[in-house]
Amino acid sequence: MLKSSESFAFLLILVATAAIFSSSPVKCDKVKTVSLTNWNLSNENKTITLNGLKSPIGVYSALRNLYGDVLYSKNDEALRWIAKDSWTFSTTFSATLDVNTKLNLTFHGIDTVSTIRLNNKILGLTDNMFIRYSYDITTLLQPENVLEIEIRSPIQVAKERAGDLMAKGFNAPPNCPHVRENGECHRNMLRKMQMSFGGNWNLAAPSIGLWKPVELEYYEVAIMRDVDVAMRRNDTHWTLDIRVFLTTGVRQNFYAELLFIAAELLDTPLTLNRRMILYNSPLIEFQVHIPKDKIKLWWPNGYGEQKLYPLYFVAKCYTEINGPTLRSKTKSQKTINIGFRTIELEEDLDDYGRNFYFKVNDQPIFVKGASYVPSHILPEHSSKESSLEHIIKSAKETHLNMIRVWGGGLYESDTFYNLTDHYGLLVWQEMAFSGATYPMSNKDFVESVRVEVYQNAKRLAFHPSFAMIVTNDEIEWYLMKNKTEFGDDSERLEDEYRQLFMGTIRHELNVISRNDFNPRAGPMISTPSMGVEESKKDLSTEPQNPNYGDVHFWDDEKDLWDPDIYPRARFITEYGFQSLPIRSSWNRTMYPDDEIADIVVHRQHDPKGFTPITKMISRHFRLPATVSEENIDKLIYLSQITQAMAVKTATDLFRSERTHKRTMGAMYWQLNDAWVAPTWSSIDYFGNYKLLWYWSREFMAPIAITALIDSKNDRINITVTKDEHVDDIEKPESYNITIYTYLWSELYFRRSNSFEISVTTNGMYKLYIELSQVFNQIFTINNSFLKFNLVKDERTLASTYIFPTKFHQVVGMTDPQLEIQFVSDNCQDKNNKIRTIYYSFIISVKKPAVFVYLELYHPEVHKYKFSENGFVLTEPIKIIHAEIELKNEYCIKLSADHVKVFHLNQLYAGSSGIGYSTSERPNFSDITANNNTENGEGVTSTSARPTTTEAEGITAD
């Protein structure tokens, strides 16, 4: 993905390269790569055979048309037999070699335990899906070659390895998941995507296949695989420390030359003349100095632009001092995009413990993020660019500046990291280890991990978005929580943990470290943890200590709408609540005879079942929330409200605790999904948005206002936060806060309270208002609610609400007499080929309508996005815009049957229903949207009594 400026720079590179090599005295050739894309598949006893499969491919994908999609109905269980069998992929190819040419057969990803045979001879064995395996087949070639990859059942291999370990007197817990997770045992025995064995939010689909390309590589001496660029700056220059990693099959030292082109940075290409390369450490390293005035910085989302610079490398490798022979395949090339930025993790001692926050380009940032899980349970589909771009762009649209690549998933594709570079999302990268112990007594396992870390670190390190490395997810916490249960094994398991993560993995990460550069933070050993500095000492006994490092917050037995329950921690890496996806997403994965309630129950993998959701609903709404056919739409709606409010409350609290850098990051669990199920995501598997996503555009905004009831002190804590880039001076700006008091029974506010505040650049402002100041006279916590507007120059920049009591205790809520009118903006002709259409919805009410929720139901709709959803209507008319992506290329016309509208009043006030109508496009000239936002460190705090004015024409008794 290239912006126009990057495309122009790349064109300059190509022109310069052509000019340089047209004058070269030696006409050498490029390393040649041929992909093997046509495959046959058979199971162990040959009862199933398929031909003509295109790679990358996995067995579940290959059998989809015959036996069904693993994501449909209850196929996660019905198709589990696939993973219990062994499967063989085979193909034939021809190859001819020139003199001195070598031929590699390279597997960029085999999932997972396999035997590779070429012409009936064993070529090699694989047991790690995260590793690139490469074999020199030069001497094994025949005119026609038969290649077979026999991949064993991951379920059976994991069981065998666990049995072998136990026979030696060792144990590596956990052995099996909770029964409700409907998963497979012994996931930690294999270096495989851990979530493929199932979990408390995802299905078990233990994949088998060629999940990345298989290639023939024709070369003479070496191939350029990866480039790592670390950088630092001084008062006048940026210094790029560049490492070019080569792979060679020769067993002698050789020569290399390198051409380096940076069209926007260097006036002329840089040529590194012949130098000797050690075959056992094939590396070219050099430095380039760039004047600061030529550089435009790369910034995280919300703080500035994401300027990327293309770098082009051409390496010639040869063994003879006189240079390469005519037409020898000695030339490798690679293009990467870099961004100029510095990133630091600050962990200074303070009055509480150690702070924990990121500085980018010397700018402290409050991290707003979410955890990312692989976009598909089948890894061969995980790098689909359209899916990745939708998810990452959606994260940007909700003002996130960091994305956490969770340790239970994958090292993501190059496409993924190119997108995070482009959209400005810093990456908190976890190695692929999660919530388990691992078999350190297996020496082959340890050696495999070494290669895994070495290869993936080199591939990812240059990306400007690559900000933080963590070697595992929740394993320190797992060891501490289960210390008593482990008994005599506890000491051994802790020692093995130190060997693997503090020893092996941290050591291998040195491949991307620099003594005098600091290109990224970490490695941090685990999450949650006491941070990088404390984890250098030893295994933590308090990984959830809120005064150090990061914490994960999970306590859904409590009221998650109550800000008092959340930790005042330095950095929160996990928190959230579960909800159900929209009804149309469920419908797309069901067979005609499926009942939705049955499917919903089948896919609920949380060991607690639906208890947390139903408890939260009954706590705040005192409504029956059962999983039944007639009740499912209500459950979807209420679960999404409870999720959105829980995450909003937590995030508001965390952002308000930024004072003195007490809390400097909040990343909720989770951004996206791998199937349609009750999960913690804000974006469902098909890319549709839950209410959490819509709300997060407000509560994650660069400038935001939060209002939280402080029940211990009988007051409302109000915070205005600004996240923005600071140049040199922190400039205070003036704003107005207006508090509107509404009666549930009336559409227009009955009282307003306004006051002026001043907020510094990248800062915050806090004030406290006694509850008695706003709930008095005719206004009680039962009959009224509050709206808070942040205004500058008569423009509303941010809003929030307080609903001071449980909704079942509300007095005065009534039928809003809601009517909806909708018109198509661009889809008139059915014969028009178009993939995206636009609609406008004009919603009118006569009384306040709470949490108005729109959902589309149409068989031709792929996914859709509203301008708002789950909103509160305290105005007579509101216009909502919809962007609708279609499955096919023809216009559709929405009718009342395709649009569902829910609001909370329906559940309490006996609403008579929703009125629908259609019309021509309305006149919007008198309607404006006040959504201007600005970006958020100085703190002002006060306890203020705002001035009070009555709404025009209304008096309060």
Side-chain angles (χ1 to χ4, degrees), residues 661-818:
K661 299 186 174 64
R662 186 68 181 92
T663 299
M664 284 297 287
M667 295 201 285
Y668 70 84
W669 177 271
Q670 67 206 73
L671 180 63
N672 62 305
D673 249 334
W675 71 330
V676 176
T679 77
W680 287 257
S681 74
S682 63
I683 306 172
D684 77 20
Y685 169 72
F686 291 111
N688 288 300
Y689 302 125
K690 297 181 180 179
L691 290 187
L692 170 56
W693 185 87
Y694 288 104
W695 287 26
S696 68
R697 289 192 297 183
E698 302 291 330
F699 66 71
M700 290 286 194
I703 184 163
I705 182 170
T706 68
L708 298 169
I709 290 181
D710 181 352
S711 56
K712 294 178 181 177
N713 296 297
D714 290 325
R715 68 188 189 188
I716 297 172
N717 297 340
I718 302 172
T719 306
V720 175
T721 307
K722 292 173 65 178
D723 299 330
E724 60 187 344
H725 173 223
V726 176
D727 289 321
D728 296 315
I729 303 172
E730 295 184 354
K731 303 173 184 176
E733 290 188 280
S734 295
Y735 299 87
N736 278 92
I737 293 177
T738 301
I739 306 174
Y740 299 99
T741 306
Y742 289 85
L743 292 174
W744 284 106
S745 58
E746 298 179 8
L747 183 61
Y748 298 98
F749 67 88
R750 289 291 301 269
R751 184 168 67 189
S752 68
N753 311 290
S754 296
F755 46 96
E756 186 174 326
I757 65 168
S758 181
V759 189
T760 60
T761 304
N762 200 30
M764 63 190 298
Y765 182 97
K766 281 191 170 187
L767 68 152
Y768 316 101
I769 296 178
E770 303 299 322
L771 284 171
S772 59
Q773 290 180 236
V774 288
F775 296 111
N776 54 34
Q777 300 178 40
I778 66 168
F779 305 107
T780 72
I781 63 170
N782 293 320
N783 72 3
S784 57
F785 63 95
L786 307 175
K787 181 179 182 180
F788 300 76
N789 277 2
L790 182 69
V791 179
K792 184 175 178 59
D793 300 328
E794 300 184 353
R795 291 175 61 84
T796 300
L797 304 180
S799 298
T800 192
Y801 288 87
I802 277 185
F803 305 106
T805 191
K806 312 290 187 186
F807 283 98
H808 63 271
Q809 296 172 336
V810 162
V811 174
M813 186 183 292
T814 187
D815 182 357
Q817 302 176 52
L818 186 149

Side-chain angles (χ1 to χ4, degrees), residues 38-42 49-53 88-92 149:
N38 195 46
W39 295 88
N40 306 315
L41 175 67
S42 61
T49 301
L50 293 174
N51 301 318
L53 302 173
T88 298
F89 289 88
S90 62
T91 190
T92 60
I149 302 99

Side-chain angles (χ1 to χ4, degrees), residues 51 71 163 217 277 358 481 624 629 633 694 736 750 805 867:
N51 301 318
L71 299 179
E217 298 170 328
I277 304 296
F358 291 88
K481 283 193 302 183
E629 292 294 310
D633 290 320
Y694 288 104
N736 278 92
R750 289 291 301 269
T805 191
S867 54

Side-chain angles (χ1 to χ4, degrees), residues 820 841 843 852-856 864 866 869 880 900-901:
I820 181 168
F841 298 83
I843 302 172
V852 180
Y853 169 80
L854 306 177
E855 211 178 297
L856 299 186
Y864 58 85
F866 294 116
N869 209 356
I880 300 296
K900 261 192 179 174
V901 183

Side-chain angles (χ1 to χ4, degrees), residues 493-697:
L493 292 172
E494 290 178 16
D495 188 55
E496 289 184 351
Y497 174 87
R498 293 183 185 94
Q499 293 175 51
L500 182 60
F501 295 101
M502 297 178 167
T504 303
I505 293 178
R506 183 157 60 183
H507 173 76
E508 292 301 326
L509 286 172
N510 287 335
V511 69
I512 56 171
S513 67
R514 309 286 199 278
N515 290 330
D516 52 351
F517 287 75
N518 190 20
R520 65 197 65 82
M524 192 162 80
I525 299 303
S526 190
T527 176
S529 82
M530 292 181 67
V532 175
E533 286 301 315
E534 295 296 320
S535 67
K536 290 177 180 177
K537 301 171 183 177
D538 197 3
L539 177 67
S540 173
T541 58
E542 293 183 276
Q544 288 278 58
N545 188 324
N547 297 317
Y548 298 83
D550 70 311
V551 303
H552 295 183
F553 177 80
W554 296 110
D555 195 348
D556 52 20
E557 296 296 318
K558 296 179 179 177
D559 181 2
L560 297 180
W561 294 23
D562 178 2
D564 290 337
I565 71 165
Y566 292 99
R568 274 56 174 174
R570 313 318 297 252
F571 200 99
I572 299 86
T573 327
E574 280 188 19
Y575 63 100
F577 192 70
Q578 205 183 57
S579 71
L580 278 66
I582 60 175
R583 178 65 177 265
S584 58
S585 291
W586 288 102
N587 293 344
R588 289 173 66 177
T589 65
M590 290 166 54
Y591 291 147
D593 57 347
D594 284 337
E595 293 187 351
I596 187 169
D598 185 41
I599 296 299
V600 169
V601 170
H602 173 78
R603 297 187 185 182
Q604 174 56 280
H605 284 186
D606 184 357
K608 296 179 181 179
F610 283 96
T611 300
I613 292 178
T614 56
K615 260 190 167 181
M616 279 288 287
I617 290 172
S618 63
R619 187 192 298 266
H620 285 276
F621 304 108
R622 198 58 63 85
L623 292 168
T626 58
V627 186
S628 60
E629 292 294 310
E630 64 276 8
N631 213 36
I632 201 69
D633 290 320
K634 186 189 298 182
L635 184 63
I636 290 171
Y637 171 58
L638 292 174
S639 74
Q640 290 202 21
I641 291 175
T642 54
Q643 179 194 37
M645 187 65 84
V647 177
K648 170 180 163 53
T649 300
T651 307
D652 284 353
L653 184 278
F654 298 146
R655 291 190 74 179
S656 73
E657 289 292 309
R658 180 176 171 168
T659 312
H660 308 303
K661 299 186 174 64
R662 186 68 181 92
T663 299
M664 284 297 287
M667 295 201 285
Y668 70 84
W669 177 271
Q670 67 206 73
L671 180 63
N672 62 305
D673 249 334
W675 71 330
V676 176
T679 77
W680 287 257
S681 74
S682 63
I683 306 172
D684 77 20
Y685 169 72
F686 291 111
N688 288 300
Y689 302 125
K690 297 181 180 179
L691 290 187
L692 170 56
W693 185 87
Y694 288 104
W695 287 26
S696 68
R697 289 192 297 183

Side-chain angles (χ1 to χ4, degrees), residues 252-295:
Q252 67 180 80
N253 296 340
F254 57 91
Y255 300 101
E257 301 173 16
L258 185 77
L259 173 70
F260 171 65
I261 301 175
E264 295 184 68
L265 302 173
L266 300 176
D267 296 332
T268 59
L270 174 65
T271 301
L272 301 183
N273 295 324
R274 183 180 67 223
R275 60 176 62 187
M276 180 69 73
I277 304 296
L278 302 178
Y279 77 88
N280 57 357
S281 181
L283 174 70
I284 302 172
E285 188 169 11
F286 64 101
Q287 291 188 346
V288 176
H289 306 284
I290 311 292
K292 279 179 66 174
D293 58 10
K294 296 191 74 169
I295 298 304

